[in-house]
C-alpha cells in the first residue's frame, strides 16, 4: 500500500511547482522531500516527476497519482475535521 505522507509530498510538489517550494510550505528540507519522492517512485517502479533546474514536471504516471492523491489528502483532512468535531 502507498504511504499517505509520500503521496502528500507529491501533491504538494505538484501544487508548488518545485521541490524547494513544497519543502518550504511543508517545513521540510528540499533533500528530505526529494528523498520521499524517490522512495515513492521506487515503490511504484516508475518516474513520477521530471526534475529540472527550474522545477519539476509530472510524468503521465505522476499526473494519474496526483488525481488520486488530491482526493486522498482531502479525505484525510475531512476525516480529521470530523473526528475533532465529534470529540468536542
Amino acid at each position: 500500500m502507498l504511504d499517505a505522507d509520500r503521496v502528500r509530498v507529491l501533491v504538494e510538489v505538484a501544487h508548488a511547482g518545485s521541490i524547494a517550494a513544497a519543502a518550504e510550505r511543508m517545513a521540510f528540507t528540499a533533500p528530505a522531500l526529494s528523498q520521499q519522492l524517490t522512495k515513492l517512485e521506487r515503490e511504484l517502479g516508475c518516474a513520477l516527476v521530471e526534475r529540472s533546474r527550474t522545477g519539476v514536471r509530472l510524468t503521465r504516471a505522476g499526473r494519474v497519482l496526483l488525481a488520486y492523491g488530491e482526493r486522498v489528502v482531502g479525505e484525510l483532512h475531512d476525516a480529521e475535521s470530523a473526528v475533532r468535531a465529534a470529540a468536542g
Side-chain angles (χ1 to χ4, degrees):
M1 183 183 312
L2 294 175
D3 181 280
D5 288 327
R6 289 189 189 124
V7 172
R8 180 174 171 246
V9 166
L10 177 71
V11 170
E12 292 294 334
V13 167
H15 289 191
S18 74
I19 292 171
E24 187 174 321
R25 289 166 94 171
M26 297 178 75
F28 287 103
T29 65
L33 254 59
S34 183
Q35 183 181 33
Q36 292 304 305
L37 272 179
T38 299
K39 285 181 181 180
L40 184 59
E41 289 174 324
R42 194 176 316 123
E43 289 170 357
L44 289 168
C46 63
L48 299 171
V49 297
E50 294 174 355
R51 294 163 171 85
S52 73
R53 289 181 177 218
T54 59
V56 296
R57 189 172 83 87
L58 295 181
T59 64
R60 183 172 184 266
R63 290 188 303 273
V64 169
L65 184 56
L66 174 64
Y68 285 98
E70 288 173 329
R71 290 194 302 261
V72 167
V73 170
E75 289 291 323
L76 288 172
H77 177 38
D78 291 349
E80 180 181 359
S81 296
V83 169
R84 290 184 189 279

